[in-house]
């Protein structure tokens, strides 16, 4: 099975100038935990609800601060033609729960562990990814 078969194709994005509050409100509105950040349709980063809390609020940034101040720029991405197994391994290797799917630097979808668990009937792929994504992270030094 290919990623294109199970990925979420309708992906809302924000731009680097959006405020933390605007992005958080968008997450609440569409009930997601991460939003790709695009500039001129090109993926430049991703922000998660955890980023807003840990890198924003905990560091006392204003809710009006631009998400460009805290977004993750070193993204791992996939493509729609890769197998679900390859995507699950990539997610496990990098301990990520959501994988932006890009084509020519443009977001064409997003694959989550939930998509794999619900839509991929082999289930082993979700187990592999979840086991490794859920490993405790090494403490920052």
């Amino acid at each position: 099975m290919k990623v294109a078969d199970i990925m979420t194709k309708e992906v809302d994005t924000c731009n680097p100038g959006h405020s933390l509050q605007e992005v958080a409100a968008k997450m609440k509105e569409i009930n997601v935990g991460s939003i790709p950040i695009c500039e001129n349709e090109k993926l430049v980063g991703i922000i998660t609800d955890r980023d807003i809390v840990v890198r924003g609020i905990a560091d006392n940034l204003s809710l009006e601060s631009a998400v460009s101040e805290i977004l993750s720029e070193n993204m791992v991405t996939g493509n729609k033609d890769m197998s679900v197994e390859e995507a699950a391994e990539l997610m496990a290797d990098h301990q990520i729960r959501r994988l932006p799917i890009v084509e020519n630097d443009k977001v064409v979808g997003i694959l989550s562990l939930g998509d794999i668990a619900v839509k991929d009937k082999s289930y082993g792929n979700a187990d592999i990814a979840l086991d490794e994504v859920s490993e405790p992270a090494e403490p920052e030094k």
Side-chain angles (χ1 to χ4, degrees):
M1 182 178 290
K2 298 285 185 197
V3 165
D5 299 326
I6 67 169
M7 70 182 187
T8 299
K9 294 175 177 85
E10 299 295 321
V11 180
D12 283 327
T13 64
C14 288
N15 69 55
H18 277 104
S19 71
L20 300 180
Q21 193 282 324
E22 289 171 316
V23 174
K26 173 67 89 174
M27 288 178 179
K28 179 181 178 183
E29 174 190 331
I30 61 177
N31 194 28
V32 298
S34 72
I35 293 189
I37 305 299
C38 298
E39 194 163 36
N40 300 321
E41 296 190 6
K42 180 182 178 186
L43 181 66
V44 295
I46 192 162
I47 189 157
T48 67
D49 46 8
R50 186 174 191 281
D51 293 332
I52 291 171
V53 172
V54 174
R55 294 189 208 163
I57 296 169
D59 283 346
N60 207 29
L61 287 181
S62 161
L63 292 178
E64 297 307 313
S65 298
V67 295
S68 60
E69 292 187 43
I70 64 168
L71 64 85
S72 299
E73 295 174 315
N74 297 326
M75 296 162 300
V76 176
T77 61
N79 66 69
K80 63 184 183 176
D81 295 322
M82 67 192 318
S83 72
V84 172
E85 184 176 358
E86 289 173 305
E89 288 175 8
L90 187 62
M91 293 166 80
D93 289 347
H94 294 277
Q95 292 191 313
I96 56 174
R97 297 174 186 273
R98 301 165 196 97
L99 182 67
I101 306 303
V102 298
E103 192 171 80
N104 299 320
D105 293 327
K106 183 179 177 184
V107 178
V108 295
I110 198 156
L111 182 69
S112 71
L113 286 179
D115 293 328
I116 295 171
V118 172
K119 299 173 186 171
D120 177 13
K121 300 306 177 197
S122 69
Y123 294 111
N125 290 328
D127 291 342
I128 291 167
L130 185 57
D131 284 347
E132 294 189 32
V133 166
S134 298
E135 288 286 319
E138 294 294 320
E140 290 185 24
K141 297 180 181 175

